[in-house]
Amino acid sequence: MVTSSIICLNTTKFAAKHSVLQQVYQDVLSPGIESVLRARSFENLSNQDSRLANSQVKSLIQNFDHEEIRHLFGYGSGVVAQEGYSSQTAQIDLMIITDDTRKFQKLNFERHPSHYSSLKYFGSDILQAIQNFGAGIYFNPFITMSSSDGSKQNVKYGIVSTKRALEDLCEWSTMYVAGRLQKPVQHLKIDELLLKANQFNLSSAFNVGLLLMSSQKKTEKVALSDLYRSIASISYMGDPRMIIGGENPNKVQNIVTRQQSKFRKLYNPFFQNNIKRGIIDECNDQEVRIRLDEAARSEMIYYLPKQFRQRLLNQYIDKRFDSSSNHSLETDSIEFQQSLETISRDENLEEALKMAIQATVAIPAFKQTMKGLLTAGLFKSARYAWEKKLKSWKRR
């Protein structure tokens, strides 16, 4: 059984017993986004350094109203190399984070009316309502833009509010932004608060990756590439595109194959932290040994993002409470302690985690797919779906 010193219900004392990194995250935890603005500075964010970002990709942001962009990152095969894809011909995927999506959309529409589907004729209120639907991201795909050297680039860009992005990074509300940032990206315009929130997102993804790899054994020797695949696969679980074949079935493998050094850099702070704690032993350059006992699993579950942790707990709550009661556990409740102890001993933890991930990803991803029919227009949506399907068939 997990000792009471590990399942400490006083969160301040709990953090004080454990790593420096977890202490830093304390202000981001139980209250979630409500207190992220009070989060203390992270000692080192060099793992998210993007000074080597592709200059051609970086120049594309000049097409947007720079003043209204809080944070901007590029992701996908056109930005970070993936096996089986040519970065010269791949679409450039961008995510624009802005404090005021309504204002940004208005200014962006005035500058680039051709980027928008026929929804533009229905006014800003309709655009904003559609913006807020699903994961809160408004995508404009198949856009041709010029970079600083005059070359043309095929671009897809999404627009999301700072609040929705922070909520996702801190609580895993949809894992739409958080999932993309769990893999190597290029940060093209940087906001320190977003990077701090993403550092917590990365820590959470690393912990879940460890739990998925070793939930049934106290000690597990694994290849680093398998651990990276475990992390990279999180945001694809439950994605309808993976289920119906609209996405490359080898997507995760292709990402990890070409990006192992980037994954190592991105997750190095959490590697080092867990090595110091005795949870990870480095066997060699290719393998590590994971040592997860009930106490370590309990701590990792305790520090999961707020909304995601509740989804995981719900699977155990339903066994002891009437599912119609909408019972929610606070971290200072006896039920929370009991559930944490139950989960840490559960031999089916891996399956429970996967179900919680699917519950997080599936509905927002489906809604975003449906929303794409409106924001892109039927022709662009059909073209996008067809090209995805062709890529999926070619790489089977």
Side-chain angles (χ1 to χ4, degrees):
M1 179 175 292
V2 182
T3 64
S4 58
S5 63
I6 294 295
I7 312 298
C8 181
L9 298 180
N10 182 307
T11 56
T12 303
K13 291 180 181 179
F14 188 99
K17 292 180 68 63
H18 297 284
S19 65
V20 173
L21 281 172
Q22 297 290 28
Q23 291 181 49
V24 172
Y25 301 146
Q26 189 60 42
D27 287 342
V28 184
L29 289 169
S30 295
I33 191 177
E34 296 171 13
S35 64
V36 69
L37 293 174
R38 299 195 299 271
R40 285 163 280 187
S41 297
F42 289 81
E43 291 185 355
N44 186 356
L45 294 176
S46 61
N47 61 312
Q48 298 189 62
D49 185 10
S50 287
R51 284 175 295 182
L52 299 179
N54 183 302
S55 59
Q56 191 175 43
V57 174
K58 204 168 185 177
S59 71
L60 289 172
I61 68 173
Q62 303 306 319
N63 287 277
F64 303 105
D65 193 314
H66 201 70
E67 295 296 320
E68 294 300 317
I69 298 175
R70 176 79 172 263
H71 191 98
L72 189 153
F73 65 91
Y75 63 97
S77 58
V79 177
V80 186
Q82 293 182 21
E83 189 73 11
Y85 292 87
S86 169
S87 59
Q88 301 299 317
T89 59
Q91 173 180 265
I92 304 296
D93 293 294
L94 303 174
M95 188 70 70
I96 296 168
I97 301 173
T98 177
D99 290 341
D100 188 339
T101 55
R102 183 187 292 271
K103 183 178 180 181
F104 182 89
Q105 292 275 32
K106 181 177 182 297
L107 294 173
N108 195 55
F109 171 70
E110 290 173 354
R111 180 180 290 191
H112 304 295
S114 63
H115 291 189
Y116 290 81
S117 70
S118 56
L119 284 176
K120 60 190 176 186
Y121 300 115
F122 291 90
S124 60
D125 289 343
I126 296 297
L127 283 179
Q128 191 62 27
I130 293 172
Q131 167 86 58
N132 293 333
F133 184 69
I137 304 171
Y138 191 107
F139 278 108
N140 283 325
F142 287 111
I143 306 300
T144 301
M145 287 187 171
S146 298
S147 55
S148 57
D149 63 0
S151 63
K152 301 294 184 181
Q153 296 286 338
N154 186 25
V155 177
K156 174 186 176 184
Y157 64 91
I159 303 161
V160 64
S161 72
T162 303
K163 182 178 179 181
R164 291 293 290 266
L166 285 172
E167 181 183 38
D168 198 28
L169 292 171
C170 296
E171 302 189 22
W172 284 6
S173 53
T174 67
M175 226 182 289
Y176 217 89
V177 175
R180 283 153 178 75
L181 286 171
Q182 288 163 6
K183 295 172 275 290
V185 302
Q186 288 185 7
H187 295 281
L188 305 173
K189 182 176 181 181
I190 292 175
D191 176 77
E192 288 295 328
L193 179 60
L194 267 297
L195 287 189
K196 291 174 185 177
N198 191 47
Q199 197 79 340
F200 174 65
N201 172 45
L202 293 171
S203 173
S204 302
F206 189 79
N207 286 345
V208 169
L210 290 178
L211 289 168
L212 289 171
M213 291 296 297
S214 59
S215 60
Q216 295 183 21
K217 297 180 181 179
K218 289 186 177 180
T219 303
E220 180 89 8
K221 189 174 182 180
V222 302
L224 278 174
S225 59
D226 289 339
L227 177 56
Y228 297 145
R229 277 194 291 270
S230 178
I231 295 169
S233 69
I234 293 172
S235 62
Y236 291 108
M237 294 183 192
D239 189 328
R241 295 174 303 168
M242 300 297 289
I243 297 170
I244 65 176
E247 185 59 90
N248 182 357
N250 300 315
K251 185 77 171 179
V252 172
Q253 177 66 41
N254 291 341
I255 290 172
V256 172
T257 298
R258 292 286 297 276
Q259 299 178 28
Q260 285 207 49
S261 63
K262 291 183 172 65
F263 269 95
R264 185 59 191 256
K265 178 183 178 182
L266 191 61
Y267 287 97
N268 188 57
F270 318 113
F271 263 107
Q272 299 307 319
N273 181 51
N274 282 286
I275 288 171
K276 290 177 182 177
R277 297 167 61 202
I279 289 176
I280 290 178
D281 294 329
E282 284 193 287
C283 301
N284 51 55
D285 292 341
Q286 303 297 324
E287 293 180 314
V288 295
R289 179 173 284 106
I290 303 172
R291 304 177 185 278
L292 280 184
D293 56 16
E294 291 176 7
R297 286 198 293 272
S298 295
E299 182 180 355
M300 287 180 174
I301 294 164
Y302 181 92
Y303 280 107
L304 287 173
K306 183 180 179 181
Q307 292 189 43
F308 178 77
R309 183 181 60 195
Q310 187 62 50
R311 292 187 188 99
L312 179 63
L313 289 173
N314 284 344
Q315 298 182 54
Y316 297 87
I317 294 169
D318 290 345
K319 298 175 183 178
R320 292 184 288 110
F321 295 98
D322 179 0
S323 60
S324 64
S325 65
N326 195 27
H327 199 93
S328 179
L329 298 186
E330 299 297 330
T331 55
D332 60 354
S333 69
I334 298 300
E335 290 88 354
F336 178 81
Q337 179 180 358
Q338 293 172 343
S339 292
L340 200 58
E341 292 173 349
T342 299
I343 297 172
S344 67
R345 297 192 302 267
D346 185 15
E347 62 180 15
N348 296 314
L349 174 56
E350 179 181 356
E351 188 61 30
L353 280 167
K354 289 180 178 178
M355 290 178 66
I357 294 168
Q358 290 167 1
T360 301
V361 172
I363 293 178
F366 176 76
K367 288 181 177 179
Q368 281 292 147
T369 300
M370 294 299 99
K371 186 164 72 173
L373 296 174
L374 297 173
T375 60
L378 290 176
F379 176 74
K380 285 185 178 180
S381 296
R383 177 186 168 191
Y384 182 72
W386 178 246
E387 290 193 2
K388 281 283 188 180
K389 193 67 178 177
L390 285 177
K391 290 178 183 178
S392 174
W393 287 337
K394 288 178 181 178
R395 292 172 172 83
R396 284 188 182 278

